[in-house]
Amino acid sequence: MKEGGTMKTSKSEKLMELSQAVIPGGVNSPVRSFKAVGGVPRFVERAEGAYLFDVDGNRYLDFCCSWGPLILGHADADVVRAVKEQVGKGMTYGTATEIEYRLADFIVSNVAAVEKIRFVSSGTEAVMSAVRVARGFTGRELIVKFEGCYHGHCDHLLAKAGSGLATFGQPSSVGVPGATTSNTFVLPLDNEQLLEECFKQHGDKVAAVIIEGVPANNGLLIQRQEYIRMLRSLTEKYGALLIFDEVITGFRLGLGGAAAYYGIEPDLITFGKVIGGSMPVGAFGGRADIMEMLSPLGPVYQAGTLSGNPVAMTAGLATLRKLSDGQIYRRLEEMTARFVADLKQRLENVPVRVASIASIFWLAFQQELPRSADRIERPGIETYNSKHRPLLDEGIYLPPSGYEVCFISAAHTEEMLAEAARKITNEVRRRR
Ligand SMILES: *Cc1c(COP(=O)(O)O)cnc(C)c1O
């Protein structure tokens, strides 16, 4: 492949055409469609380590990493071996299994705030269930969420702020009844005053405040420690629960996730992505007295045909076990820090900032790194989007939207990252 050349994409184009006839937009999750960045989405045939290979035979260094789960990279040999062995023993039983206990025990042992945990099949389900148990436990209905935080696609959290800075939510999707989001209060991030006001006015009705461990679905909006501490103390004061949505940050920021990073104990934590070792897994857990509200012990109903699926649990446990001595986290952090420093140095005098934490980074084409959604500059997002396609042609697979963060896996190497930094810099400096 020559530098700056355009790749052959005829097979992806053909498959997109066929898929569009039978799948809305040709995709099973909207960002995959490349709507924001243009061009044909690449149909991937296989993946290995840090690379994706598409149906036209092109190879890409993967910075999307399936949106977060792939902390070990693609097709990690140990995970694959464990999964193959389990598949041969049956793929679902609809009974309790030892492997569920093992994964639950691993998480409970590593995450201070989690005394009991239950597995589901996606992050969306985890959040939906955590919110239900929080409402059941407190007997209250109001949920406070933050603008720019994504918690999956359950109806009552698909809410955006109404007019005004802090309001009851309005549906952010057609098909969600206004009544469903009317119990969701939406606040901007990084604003102590509005948080306090919200609690003064509604505190005794708030079942829970939900926040992403580190907001990473709408840029990477790293919050100040004092702000998170205040969230913890206000929820405590008013008898509301604090839910950390750690679907991205859980076992990505380290074994203790964002809770350990900020040094706080939320009442409930939701997980997904990394804990499934690339299989569809979610989980929610926390204080035993809250979790014991769940059926069959208590009155809060929650269930799932494939919850705790043995193949998925096996993939998750094989992944987490490899992470347990901390060496992979240390290497990932060092590698990411060097890569980000390299990018920053190369991009001096260019209006682009790089936010990063652990093995997550985000390219912000603006002068200052934002801490709230309203500070993300739309022209910067458009600049990112315009660089996506040329970088794809250079074999760099960035997430196909400027609002999405990038991930580095244990399969990435210093050499791969150095080359990527060079290609990204060249493209960013090029005018189009
Ligand atoms: C991805 C994500 C979800 C939703 O998880 P799915 O598995 O896609 O349903 C929820 N919360 C956060 C913070 C996420 O990043």
Side-chain angles (χ1 to χ4, degrees):
M1 189 199 75
K2 47 184 206 314
E3 294 258 309
T6 12
M7 286 176 165
K8 183 171 164 278
T9 56
S10 53
K11 286 187 180 164
S12 280
E13 280 163 43
K14 182 70 196 160
L15 281 169
M16 187 57 175
E17 205 182 299
L18 291 169
S19 296
Q20 276 172 327
V22 288
I23 300 172
V27 292
N28 284 306
S29 198
V31 202
R32 296 181 197 167
S33 72
F34 279 30
K35 194 176 169 190
V37 295
V40 64
R42 307 302 152 90
F43 279 65
V44 169
E45 192 171 66
R46 67 188 178 89
E48 203 183 300
Y51 291 106
L52 292 170
F53 298 85
D54 74 11
V55 286
D56 289 287
N58 302 307
R59 185 184 82 163
Y60 309 90
L61 183 62
D62 187 7
F63 284 108
C64 186
C65 290
S66 193
W67 311 90
L70 291 164
I71 195 164
L72 300 177
H74 295 276
D76 176 82
D78 297 313
V79 178
V80 169
R81 195 177 315 117
V83 165
K84 276 187 174 162
E85 196 182 314
Q86 177 57 46
V87 166
K89 294 194 272 186
M91 289 183 272
T92 179
Y93 313 125
T95 68
T97 59
E98 181 176 341
I99 186 79
E100 291 160 271
Y101 156 71
R102 298 259 168 239
L103 187 55
D105 187 55
F106 187 98
I107 296 173
V108 167
S109 311
N110 279 285
V111 185
V114 177
E115 295 172 341
K116 292 203 168 180
I117 187 162
R118 190 170 267 179
F119 294 107
V120 291
S121 300
S122 71
T124 296
E125 242 187 296
V127 170
M128 191 181 79
S129 311
V131 167
R132 186 180 305 141
V133 77
R135 284 176 161 155
F137 181 79
T138 57
R140 301 174 178 182
E141 295 199 340
L142 203 61
I143 300 294
V144 176
K145 83 172 285 283
F146 297 90
E147 200 190 336
C149 282
Y150 177 67
H151 301 294
H153 66 96
C154 67
D155 280 3
H156 50 268
L157 294 176
L158 281 182
K160 59 177 187 234
S163 51
L165 271 173
T167 55
F168 285 95
Q170 289 173 0
S172 59
S173 164
V174 165
V176 175
T180 313
T181 56
S182 64
N183 278 316
T184 308
F185 198 87
V186 185
L187 282 174
L189 286 162
D190 193 44
N191 187 325
E192 271 95 345
Q193 203 192 330
L194 287 173
L195 185 63
E196 252 183 329
E197 268 172 38
C198 167
F199 269 94
K200 269 199 196 118
Q201 277 186 39
H202 311 287
D204 59 341
K205 294 188 211 62
V206 177
V209 175
I210 184 165
I211 187 168
E212 280 186 63
V214 174
N217 276 285
N218 186 66
L220 184 59
L221 307 173
I222 301 170
Q223 298 300 297
R224 288 170 295 117
Q225 170 104 16
E226 313 85 79
Y227 182 68
I228 300 296
R229 292 242 153 134
M230 182 173 175
L231 255 184
R232 180 63 285 190
S233 60
L234 274 178
T235 42
E236 245 161 39
K237 181 174 161 196
Y238 285 89
L241 303 184
L242 178 60
I243 306 175
F244 254 34
D245 182 354
E246 299 225 42
V247 171
I248 284 186
T249 50
F251 294 93
R252 167 64 67 173
L253 298 198
L255 294 170
Y261 173 80
Y262 283 113
I264 65 146
E265 284 199 14
D267 301 294
L268 291 169
I269 300 183
T270 55
F271 299 92
K273 300 192 171 119
V274 170
I275 65 155
S278 311
M279 298 289 283
V281 177
F284 63 107
R287 274 166 49 189
D289 58 337
I290 303 172
M291 291 301 287
E292 283 165 6
M293 290 294 286
L294 287 170
S295 185
L297 295 179
V300 177
Y301 189 70
Q302 188 277 331
T305 302
L306 291 180
S307 290
N309 172 269
V311 183
M313 296 288 104
T314 299
L317 192 62
T319 300
L320 297 192
R321 279 192 175 142
K322 286 189 82 160
L323 298 170
S324 64
D325 68 4
Q327 282 192 45
I328 290 178
Y329 288 119
R330 275 192 293 281
R331 186 177 149 258
L332 276 173
E333 266 167 49
E334 284 166 18
M335 212 163 54
T336 308
R338 262 197 291 277
F339 172 67
V340 168
D342 185 15
L343 272 179
K344 281 181 176 165
Q345 197 201 351
R346 288 165 177 273
L347 291 170
E348 235 178 338
N349 311 321
V350 180
V352 61
R353 295 284 164 271
V354 191
S356 76
I357 185 166
S359 46
I360 311 174
F361 71 96
W362 178 55
L363 297 169
F365 289 80
Q366 57 186 62
Q367 297 284 358
E368 301 267 341
L369 281 179
R371 280 198 298 266
S372 58
D374 59 327
R375 297 266 164 131
I376 299 177
E377 295 169 19
R378 185 66 218 174
I381 297 292
E382 272 150 27
T383 305
Y384 173 97
N385 291 350
S386 72
K387 306 289 181 195
H388 184 267
R389 174 82 168 279
L391 279 165
L392 210 54
D393 281 337
E394 296 272 355
I396 305 288
Y397 197 99
L398 296 175
S401 157
Y403 291 106
E404 302 292 343
V405 298
C406 302
F407 295 95
I408 290 177
S409 81
H412 287 71
T413 66
E414 300 274 354
E415 295 71 36
M416 293 174 193
L417 293 176
E419 192 187 341
R422 186 177 58 74
K423 287 180 174 174
I424 292 170
T425 315
N426 286 347
E427 191 47 50
V428 168
R429 287 188 171 281
R430 185 171 299 154
R431 292 204 193 173
R432 275 175 199 271

